Amino acid sequence: MAATAKSLQIVMFPWLAFGHMIPYFELAKRIAQKGHRISFISTPRNIQRLPKIPPSLSSLMNFVSLTLPRQDNLPQDAEATNDLPIHKIPYLKIAYDNLQDSLAEYLQKSTPDWIIYDAMPYWLPPITAKLGIPSVFFSIFQAWTICYGGPSSSAMINGKDPRTKPQDFTVPPKWVSFDTRVAYRLYEAKKFFGHFEMNDSGVTDIVRVGTVMAGCDVIAVRSCMEIESEWIYLVGELHGKPVLPIGLLPPTAHDSRDANEDSTWLTISEWLGKRKRKTVIYVAFGSELNLSQNELTELALGLELSGLPFFWALRNRDETIVLPDGFEERVKGRGVVWTSWAPQLRILAHESVGAFLTHCGFSSITESLYFGHPLVLLPFSMDQGLIARVFAEKKAGIEIARNEEDGAYTRKSVAEALKLVIVEEEGRIYREKAKELGVLFADEELHDQYVHKFVEFLQNHRQVSDQ
């Protein structure tokens, strides 16, 4: 049936965060490679900052630019979450919500076969239903995180969640019937509880997600059965609709993008090339996380205390938060603090790198395990705590010990975790398990098959509905 199925026209509409837009763009490329047309919708400035469409796919992929409506509380040119402090993000959600008329108009004119959308546009399911366009909710969050939200109709939308205080989130939910230690720590549960509370956008995050999941036809998850089959099945049970893993979207070839990247890489690779194989700790926390002064200080002094070589890609956007006095001088020759953009994939691919100290964003986890590096886990927000539990449970890495109440960690706990994973005999299990998982994460054929099955489902479903 798939061989004679027609080429699909698919619209993709991610939330305005690069941690969402990049996986959507990666999935778009993989669908286009199978001969289907993709219209990728975002705002003008985000489109400028996204990767370029590969020339081989330019006839099948295009960007559709929708102007973000003005919002009084948003700075000029703020079109993504990384343009804003966290307390301003609800205003970005208001502006995003105000895209609904221009999006509805575009959908009416373009009549796509499918729309693939994100967790925030709770207003979109009625529009797609009215226009007769089948829809996919593509979750960049894994099934274990989705399951924590509970059933969409009762727990997420109607406020009938039996969990009423942060402590209730420190154990697996009652609807999880299999054995697992994946749960929030108390300090994480307090933050997660905030998603149930009203914000300045006028709609809670949990209602947004629940309404999207209740209104879509299919749920797609950035995951695979080899990692979390029980959780994937549970999402289907909780929401009563097809759940399709689309694979891990492992990184594509890390070739250079421009001359500036090449000169940056030349400097970094020269430093890495002087270090012994598998000894360097790569440290990076994504582009949006701002550490507090105490968090930054303890992390820096922990790196120093470990005595190990490190490359720290530090992108703290708050200029009032500074490194400890004399730190860079004391670690000179052993450690580098790199404060501009760094080519993460190229660094991870270098043979001198031995472990990744990460905030546990799933893209970073995927990239690290793609190269078989063990993880030193230091989660900070949203789903990162659950991701840390999963990979600690799989023995692919170790979490830095923290205070249960407030999440504080010390230089000693940082240094101990680093030394364990990199040099100590006790840490061999993490090095071996990460290498084992690396085989799965780097299996391009396996992950391509997941995309293939996903597209085949979309084709078959569309054909049935057209008959």
Side-chain angles (χ1 to χ4, degrees), residues 220-251:
V221 186
R222 183 187 180 181
S223 192
C224 63
M225 300 302 279
E226 291 77 5
I227 292 287
E228 54 162 356
S229 57
E230 291 172 311
W231 294 102
I232 289 169
Y233 289 132
L234 181 56
V235 173
E237 288 170 24
L238 290 173
H239 297 280
K241 54 190 64 180
V243 179
L244 303 176
I246 52 94
L248 298 174
L249 303 181

Side-chain angles (χ1 to χ4, degrees), residues 133-182:
I133 301 168
S135 61
V136 178
F137 163 50
F138 169 37
S139 172
I140 66 148
F141 302 113
Q142 288 60 59
W144 54 70
T145 300
I146 298 172
C147 290
Y148 255 80
S152 55
S153 56
S154 58
M156 298 175 87
I157 300 172
N158 297 325
K160 294 181 179 173
D161 196 316
R163 301 166 297 179
T164 57
K165 56 189 184 298
Q167 286 79 357
D168 296 335
F169 290 83
T170 61
V171 293
K174 65 175 187 178
W175 45 79
V176 177
S177 58
F178 47 88
D179 186 41
T180 180
R181 291 188 302 245
V182 175

Side-chain angles (χ1 to χ4, degrees), residues 18 28 45 55 84 187 236 247 326-327 330 344 359 404 448 450 460:
F18 281 91
R45 190 158 174 257
L84 296 163
Y187 60 90
F327 169 74
R330 293 193 301 274
Q344 181 158 296
H359 66 315
E404 285 288 326
D448 184 65
Y450 276 109
N460 292 344

